[in-house]
């Protein structure tokens, strides 16, 4: 079985080919092609197959992480979208909620008002109304729906959302309206709010569905083009696409629910980090994925990827009611630009030099000082051995642009470069604190895993700022996201709104909701050809104390939901509430708001990482003067450069050291030691003071 993981980033497309039978890995990086990401995927596919000595047709499965949907949201570059909703509710998408993101700011940015996904002129209303129980109060005006669809066509709309009140209980009106719209607009992408997020809270439900409609045509078109390109190259294996919940889905499911890809590429990195951490002996991990423009932070607790709260999950400022892994992204990467703002403060990022022209070190005409230039000035990058020697860095160009900034500051180039890295690392450390300390989690109890092209350069110093004692660098840091793709199973989700209160539970109804969802997911797995013995169904529920405005997700046991089974659920909720908020109300009534079913379909994937070969003894391939801040003083160290693949396994070595490999560079500071474990991970440990 040969499987291929392909992660498309802003600068590079990363690929990893795994022959599962031989436990052989082949990696490759190729420049991304933002205008048409499929070109970069196909180029990389041909190159990595040639490198591995196989034909494209030998690949059995291709797992793909994409940023097409994410970028469409971040750049506000989606389809011209229209909406059909109930009379009197045209402005739900604009009004939002009384609870604003920043309570006391009169200048805050409200994206649903400042840059709406669906402009007001494209939002049409029709008669038709259900009550909260899903009972029809006013019949759907089908003629009005038809007229609205024709008007949307005349307005140049290419994607339509149908969103009605209480459709999460009874989707009949939405489904019928969608049928009419599809008849009138056969070329349009048509979606319903109940088909995307069948949950109560109409603003969040409508907004999530609006995202799906906004990015739907672009995502669907990309997947179709990619499939056609792959087929033309001779690929006969299945295509699977990573979703925001950490699993993969078929192209057919992605075409139906494009919003499920909103964190596709980012989630793959956290999955890869968690998988590597498990085999390295740790199930409590902070993942730090640093690329050219951004740093993505994920938390793994007890081996499970932390999921975002459905009330706080968002993309580009818009609320999302979909299963999503909790990932926090900040503008911090190798291309981040260092500058003085209008007030004279020293800043780094979020603006980036990108891939073109990129940092001055790349020799493509870049004239802005970047993090990559700062690392080069400090000797932390080997100019003759970047990308495994495929690229030579321009030291003089980096010193020139850093020198200009240094002149503004009245500092030396080395002080300026080190200051830029300190600012960047502090930004990342503060971002990690927001996901740990502010949620009652002590980061010192975790291992920090740094990956991405720039993660291994910064991981140790960020860990030092957090008091983290152990850092884990994967064998192939630059393609960890691509590797994470090869660790996922098919994963689909179903949910139903329950509104069941402890003490008055209809046990048969509650069990029936789970049975109904199981039938729904089983039908999907049947369509995908997943054998019954390779399926798992995991029950969950969103619970709250009656009167609360937020819920907590709790595991629900299999089997009939009688009083004994529900007692386990109530107790688990009390314990989770106490852990999350510091207290629990044991005597208060509990409400099951939503019941959920997570379906997993096992696919062929990576099992155990290949064991490291290593060498008998480490011999430096070079050395250079590297500058580090030690005891609050900048010092220059004669620092050895090692080829990482030549490092012996299990031998503890002392920093400072620079470890070179094709897809990344690892920096070990003074006062840190390191060794290679049996799976070729570099494990850094902070020396005791």
């Amino acid at each position: 079985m040969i499987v291929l993981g392909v992660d498309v980033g802003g600068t590079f497309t990363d690929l990893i080919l795994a022959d599962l039978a031989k436990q052989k890995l082949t990696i490759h990086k190729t420049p991304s092609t933002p205008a048409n990401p499929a070109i970069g995927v196909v180029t990389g596919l041909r190159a990595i197959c040639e490198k591995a000595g196989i034909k494209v047709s030998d690949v059995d499965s291709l797992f793909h992480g994409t940023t097409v949907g994410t970028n469409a949201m971040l750049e506000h570059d989606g389809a011209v979208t229209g909406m059909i909703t109930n009379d009197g509710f045209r402005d739900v998408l604009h009004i939002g909620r009384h609870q604003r993101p920043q309570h006391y700011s009169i200048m805050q940015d409200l994206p649903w008002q400042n840059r709406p996904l669906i402009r007001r002129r494209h939002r049409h209303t029709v008669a038709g109304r259900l009550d909260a129980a899903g009972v029809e109060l006013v019949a759907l005006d089908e003629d009005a729906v038809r007229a609205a669809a024709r008007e949307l066509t005349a307005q140049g709309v290419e994607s339509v959302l149908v969103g009605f009140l209480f459709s999460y209980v009874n989707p009949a009106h939405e489904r019928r309206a969608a049928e009419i719209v599809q008849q009138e607009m056969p070329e349009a992408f048509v979606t319903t709010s109940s088909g995307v997020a069948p949950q109560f809270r109409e603003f969040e439900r409508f907004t999530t569905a609006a995202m799906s409609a906004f990015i739907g045509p672009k995502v669907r078109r990309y997947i179709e083009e990619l499939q056609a390109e792959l087929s033309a190259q001779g690929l006969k294996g299945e295509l699977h696409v990573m979703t925001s919940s950490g699993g993969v889905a078929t192209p057919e499911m992605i075409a139906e629910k494009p919003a499920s890809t909103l964190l596709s590429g980012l989630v793959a990195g956290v999955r890869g980090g968690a998988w590597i951490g498990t085999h390295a002996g740790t199930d409590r991990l902070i993942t730090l994925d640093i690329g050219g423009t951004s740093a993505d932070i994920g938390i793994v607790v007890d081996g499970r990827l932390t999921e975002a709260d459905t009330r706080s999950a968002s993309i580009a400022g818009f609320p999302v009611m979909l299963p999503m892994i909790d990932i926090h992204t900040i503008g911090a990467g190798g291309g981040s630009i260092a500058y003085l703002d209008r007030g004279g403060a020293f800043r780094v990022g979020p603006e980036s030099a990108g891939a073109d022209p990129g940092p001055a070190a790349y020799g493509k005409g870049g004239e802005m000082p970047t993090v990559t230039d700062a690392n080069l000035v400090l000797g932390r990058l080997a100019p003759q051995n970047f990308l495994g020697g495929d690229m030579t860095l321009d030291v003089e160009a980096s010193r020139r642009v850093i020198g200009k900034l240094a002149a503004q500051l009245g500092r030396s180039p080395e002080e300026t470069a080190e200051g830029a890295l300190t600012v960047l690392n502090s930004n990342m450390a503060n971002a990690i604190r927001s996901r740990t300390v502010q949620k009652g989690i002590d980061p010192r109890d975790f291992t920090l895993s740094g990956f991405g092209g720039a993660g291994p350069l910064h991981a140790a110093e960020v860990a030092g700022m957090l008091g983290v004692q152990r850092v884990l660098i994967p064998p192939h840091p630059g393609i960890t996201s691509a590797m994470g793709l090869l660790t996922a199973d098919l994963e689909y989700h179903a949910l139903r709104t329950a509104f069941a209160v402890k003490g008055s539970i209809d046990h048969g109804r509650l069990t029936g909701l789970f049975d109904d969802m199981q039938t729904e997911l089983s039908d999907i797995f049947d369509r995908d050809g997943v054998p019954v013995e390779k399926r798992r169904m995991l029950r969950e529920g969103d619970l709250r104390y009656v009167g609360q405005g937020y819920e907590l997700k709790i595991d629900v046991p299999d089997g009939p939901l009688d009083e004994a089974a529900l007692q386990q659920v109530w107790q688990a909720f009390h314990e989770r509430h106490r852990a999350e908020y510091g207290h629990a109300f044991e005597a208060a009534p509990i409400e099951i708001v939503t019941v959920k079913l997570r379906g997993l379909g096992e696919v062929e994937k990576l099992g155990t990482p290949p064991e490291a070969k290593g060498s008998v003894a480490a011999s430096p391939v070079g050395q250079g003067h590297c500058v580090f801040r030690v005891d609050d003083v900048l010092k220059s160290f004669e620092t050895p450069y090692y080829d990482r693949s030549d490092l012996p396994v299990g031998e503890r070595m002392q920093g400072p050291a620079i470890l070179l490999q094709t897809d990344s560079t690892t920096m070990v500071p003074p006062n840190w030691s390191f060794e290679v474990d049996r799976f070729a991970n570099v494990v850094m440990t902070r020396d005791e003071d």
Side-chain angles (χ1 to χ4, degrees):
M1 184 77 173
I2 297 176
V3 294
L4 175 65
V6 184
D7 178 56
V8 179
T11 305
F12 289 103
T13 294
D14 303 329
L15 302 97
I16 179 167
L17 187 76
D19 187 326
L20 301 181
K22 298 179 181 178
Q23 281 202 315
K24 178 184 176 184
L25 299 180
T26 305
I27 67 170
H28 183 69
K29 295 175 77 76
T30 190
S32 294
T33 51
N36 184 355
I39 295 175
V41 173
V42 170
T43 301
L45 170 66
R46 289 198 302 261
I48 198 168
C49 286
E50 182 178 346
K51 184 183 290 188
I54 65 170
K55 299 176 182 177
V56 171
S57 58
D58 293 332
V59 177
D60 296 295
S61 291
L62 190 152
F63 296 81
H64 181 39
T66 175
T67 57
V68 170
T70 309
N71 290 342
M73 284 298 302
L74 295 176
E75 298 167 7
H76 202 72
D77 182 26
V80 179
T81 307
M83 180 180 186
I84 297 176
T85 190
N86 300 96
D87 279 341
F89 290 87
R90 183 182 186 184
D91 294 317
V92 167
L93 284 176
H94 179 87
I95 295 171
R97 292 192 168 274
H98 73 280
Q99 183 177 8
R100 296 155 69 88
Q102 296 169 302
H103 294 296
Y104 305 109
S105 172
I106 61 173
M107 300 295 290
Q108 64 183 294
D109 175 43
L110 298 177
W112 51 89
Q113 294 179 0
N114 298 339
R115 45 188 183 279
L117 299 172
I118 305 176
R119 300 185 69 83
R120 194 172 194 270
R121 67 176 72 99
H122 297 149
R123 301 198 296 264
H124 296 260
T125 62
V126 298
R129 189 68 178 268
L130 306 174
D131 67 11
V135 177
E136 184 177 83
L137 299 177
V138 178
L140 177 67
D141 188 340
E142 296 189 4
D143 291 336
V145 174
R146 202 172 299 278
R150 291 171 179 171
E151 188 169 348
L152 289 172
T153 300
Q155 292 174 328
V157 166
E158 52 187 321
S159 183
V160 179
L161 161 64
V162 178
F164 294 144
L165 297 182
F166 305 116
S167 62
Y168 61 86
V169 180
N170 180 359
H173 279 187
E174 281 194 354
R175 289 175 179 172
R176 177 56 187 148
E179 288 176 1
I180 296 171
V181 173
Q182 198 72 77
Q183 292 169 4
E184 295 293 328
M185 306 174 69
E187 300 300 319
F189 181 91
V190 182
T191 191
T192 64
S193 75
S194 59
V196 175
Q199 301 180 65
F200 84 115
R201 298 188 176 109
E202 65 273 11
F203 169 60
E204 289 83 358
R205 173 163 49 92
F206 286 0
T207 299
T208 302
M211 286 188 211
S212 193
F214 185 69
I215 69 172
K218 179 169 282 192
V219 172
R220 183 172 63 180
R221 187 162 51 246
Y222 168 67
I223 295 298
E224 289 174 350
E225 291 174 356
L226 178 61
Q227 283 186 291
E229 291 283 352
L230 294 174
S231 180
Q233 296 300 317
L235 183 74
K236 300 175 183 176
E238 299 174 299
L239 172 64
H240 295 108
V241 182
M242 176 65 73
T243 66
S244 303
S245 65
V248 292
T250 62
E252 292 76 18
M253 284 299 295
I254 297 301
E256 292 176 17
K257 299 182 178 181
S260 64
T261 66
L262 282 171
L263 290 181
S264 176
L266 308 186
V267 170
V270 182
R271 271 208 78 94
W275 181 77
I276 290 164
T278 297
H279 292 286
T282 178
D283 60 0
R284 297 174 71 81
L285 203 69
I286 299 169
T287 63
L288 181 61
D289 182 357
I290 309 175
T293 59
S294 64
D296 306 313
I297 297 156
I299 309 296
V300 180
V301 179
D302 299 330
R304 297 180 63 173
L305 281 60
T306 303
E307 295 185 23
D309 183 334
T310 54
R311 293 300 308 277
S312 60
S314 66
I315 294 288
F318 292 88
V320 186
M321 291 184 80
L322 290 173
M324 298 175 69
I325 299 305
D326 188 10
I327 297 177
H328 185 50
T329 300
I330 64 170
S336 295
I337 295 171
Y339 64 100
L340 297 182
D341 66 14
R342 287 183 295 178
F346 191 10
R347 307 250 181 211
V348 182
E351 186 179 354
S352 172
D356 189 13
Y362 287 3
K364 295 182 179 179
E367 289 296 328
M368 301 299 291
T370 68
V371 170
T372 296
D373 296 309
N375 275 308
L376 187 57
V377 166
L378 296 176
R380 301 181 186 186
L381 291 171
Q384 306 300 323
N385 206 323
F386 192 68
L387 296 181
D390 290 343
M391 183 176 181
T392 300
L393 299 179
D394 189 338
V395 180
E396 291 306 315
S398 293
R399 292 194 68 85
R400 184 181 71 251
V401 295
I402 293 292
K404 289 180 182 178
L405 182 60
Q408 292 179 269
L409 291 167
R411 301 282 184 175
S412 70
E414 288 75 17
E415 288 176 311
T416 302
E418 196 278 336
L421 299 188
T422 298
V423 170
L424 184 89
N425 293 337
S426 297
N427 291 342
M428 291 187 284
N430 287 334
I432 291 172
R433 290 188 186 99
S434 74
R435 317 314 286 181
T436 54
V437 176
Q438 292 181 19
K439 294 187 175 186
I441 299 172
D442 189 343
R444 294 173 297 182
D445 296 335
F446 287 69
T447 295
L448 189 146
S449 180
F451 49 88
L457 270 171
H458 298 267
E461 290 186 332
V462 172
M465 292 177 174
L466 295 167
V468 172
Q469 300 295 315
R470 189 169 182 259
V471 170
L472 179 69
I473 307 297
H476 306 291
I479 52 91
T480 299
S481 291
M483 181 174 286
L485 293 167
L486 302 185
T487 69
D489 287 317
L490 286 171
E491 182 172 325
Y492 301 128
H493 297 257
L495 59 87
R496 301 287 187 271
T497 298
F499 288 135
V501 178
K502 179 183 179 182
S504 58
I505 300 283
D506 183 339
H507 300 92
R509 172 178 173 267
L510 201 58
T511 301
L513 290 175
F514 279 111
D515 291 343
D516 184 44
M517 290 188 289
Q518 181 152 340
T519 299
E520 176 185 331
L521 295 187
S522 294
D523 289 344
I524 296 174
F525 284 132
D526 287 342
R527 186 181 71 183
D528 290 350
V530 180
V532 174
E533 64 272 14
K534 291 192 175 183
R535 304 176 190 177
R536 282 192 299 142
M537 301 290 183
L538 305 178
R539 293 175 166 187
E540 300 167 331
D542 288 340
L543 280 69
R544 65 184 181 184
Y545 291 118
V546 173
Q548 284 184 324
Y550 52 87
E551 299 87 43
L552 295 174
K553 184 181 291 185
I554 303 298
D555 291 337
V556 176
D558 292 332
L561 293 175
D562 54 19
E563 278 301 324
L566 288 177
Q567 191 59 42
Q568 300 177 41
V569 176
W570 309 140
Q571 190 57 40
F573 172 73
H574 289 311
E575 292 173 0
R576 174 73 191 282
H577 196 282
R578 185 178 291 106
E580 193 81 12
Y581 302 109
H583 59 272
F585 304 103
E586 299 280 352
I590 300 172
E591 182 177 28
I592 302 176
V593 177
T594 308
V595 290
K596 301 178 177 182
L597 191 66
R598 181 194 305 262
L600 300 174
E602 184 181 345
V603 299
E604 292 286 344
K605 56 185 181 295
L606 286 176
T608 303
E611 297 210 5
K613 296 177 182 178
S615 62
V616 177
S619 298
V621 295
Q623 60 182 16
H625 291 283
C626 295
V627 178
F628 300 94
R629 183 173 294 278
V630 179
D631 297 329
D632 207 30
V633 177
L634 282 188
K635 296 181 180 180
S636 178
F637 292 79
E638 192 71 24
T639 304
Y641 294 166
Y642 294 100
D643 185 328
R644 179 172 168 175
S645 63
D646 289 340
L647 293 174
V649 175
E651 180 180 322
R652 176 63 52 177
M653 302 173 66
Q654 192 65 41
I658 303 296
L659 314 182
L660 308 174
Q661 61 188 115
T662 301
D663 55 318
S664 187
T665 298
T666 301
M667 186 274 292
V668 184
N671 302 324
W672 285 73
S673 56
F674 68 99
E675 67 177 284
V676 176
D677 71 8
R678 59 183 289 229
F679 293 121
N681 300 298
V682 170
V683 181
M684 289 190 270
T685 307
R686 196 177 183 189
D687 298 338
E688 295 294 335
D689 295 332

